[in-house]
Amino acid sequence: MEWDPPRDAKAVLVCLPHAGSGAFQFRTWQERLGPDIALLAVQLPGRENRWREEPATRMAEVLDELAPALAARLDLPYFVYGHSMGALVGYELARVLGREHGRWPCGFVASACRAPDDQGEPSGTSRLTDEELVAELVAEGLVPAAVGANSRLAAAVARPLRADNAVCDSYTPPDEDALLPCPLVAWRGQDDAGVTDDHIRKWPAWSAATGTVRTFPGDHFYPLADPHHVTAELRAFVLGLLSPHR
């Protein structure tokens, strides 16, 4: 997590990508968010500039690395945005940062993800070859079609995709201290068949504060198609909640 935050930042926005992906997708977001919000994009092992490292296959492994590293950098009010698998990791990360480090987020955004208790059955992708894995996830709308169309790119993401699927398949939702004490918003793309309105409406129950839902034009990867709209909404969400914490 290389980081050079804006000098005048008043808050930090921690961003976690979808399965198999990395921080590069957020490369234009800092400029869009403005100098008063510091973007901190999470780069997990096994992808992009960390591709030589072994990716984690259990949620506990992910959190053991992320939580201490983030806690050391969160000297400002912070917010969490996670897309798809990133939302599930972000939810668990927020709980660890709050319970173990005394640093609860001021707000949480879950994008294109089912709620922790609604993750569904294990994917069964461990039996597939790398090519079959990528092809199946593209067909299900869980990997961008551009990845499947590029053999080199598909080969590069297969290993982290397999590991991230293992994280999700082995995930068990918490049975206590589960609610986040901050406002929560849950977003989805209107054409996302895997995360429906019924799925997204289950997220607000995971906040002890307020919870709302929102639908955007597009499919599972609506933030990639329209980053300007998404970052504008994120900026409004952060700044709308920031004043009480200044």
Side-chain angles (χ1 to χ4, degrees):
M1 290 176 290
E2 296 181 4
W3 195 37
D4 183 22
R7 182 174 301 177
D8 297 327
K10 300 177 178 66
V12 174
L13 178 63
V14 179
C15 291
L16 299 106
H18 59 269
S21 188
F24 185 73
Q25 68 181 267
F26 303 118
R27 65 195 182 282
T28 65
W29 283 30
Q30 179 61 78
E31 183 178 358
R32 298 175 189 275
L33 289 169
D36 43 0
I37 300 174
L39 170 70
L40 180 48
V42 170
Q43 185 79 290
L44 294 175
R47 58 215 82 198
E48 296 175 10
N49 64 333
R50 302 187 66 186
W51 71 273
R52 292 182 182 275
E53 301 177 45
E54 194 66 29
T57 57
R58 295 291 184 272
M59 183 68 77
E61 298 174 46
V62 177
L63 300 176
D64 285 347
E65 177 188 3
L66 281 185
L70 282 172
R73 302 184 182 196
L74 297 177
D75 56 351
L76 292 171
Y78 81 97
F79 298 75
V80 177
Y81 165 87
H83 183 76
S84 197
M85 171 194 164
L88 192 63
V89 174
Y91 162 77
E92 290 293 345
L93 178 63
R95 292 180 65 238
V96 172
L97 288 170
R99 290 184 291 109
E100 299 182 9
H101 299 273
R103 298 291 284 117
W104 290 101
C106 300
F108 179 76
V109 182
S111 171
C113 182
R114 299 185 184 192
D117 61 342
D118 191 31
Q119 287 295 299
E121 297 297 321
S123 64
T125 54
S126 60
R127 57 181 168 75
L128 303 178
T129 66
D130 288 352
E131 293 78 9
E132 291 170 339
L133 170 66
V134 173
E136 180 165 314
L137 293 177
V138 168
E140 292 176 0
L142 298 176
V143 168
V147 174
N150 185 319
S151 59
R152 293 183 63 183
L153 186 55
V157 303
R159 184 173 66 123
L161 264 177
R162 191 177 298 281
D164 289 349
N165 275 3
V167 170
C168 294
D169 285 349
S170 61
Y171 175 74
T172 302
D175 55 8
E176 58 183 18
D177 298 326
L179 303 188
L180 298 180
C182 62
L184 179 155
V185 295
W187 297 345
R188 66 175 290 268
Q190 64 184 10
D191 300 321
D192 187 349
V195 183
T196 66
D197 281 336
D198 288 341
H199 294 136
I200 212 73
R201 289 194 188 109
K202 295 182 179 181
W203 264 111
W206 292 84
S207 169
T210 60
T212 58
V213 300
R214 172 80 180 275
T215 298
F216 288 78
D219 58 16
H220 189 72
F221 296 101
Y222 69 92
L224 299 180
D226 191 3
H228 178 77
H229 191 184
V230 172
T231 50
E233 292 294 332
L234 282 170
R235 177 173 170 79
F237 177 69
V238 170
L239 296 184
L241 293 172
L242 190 57
S243 295
H245 301 277
R246 289 180 179 174

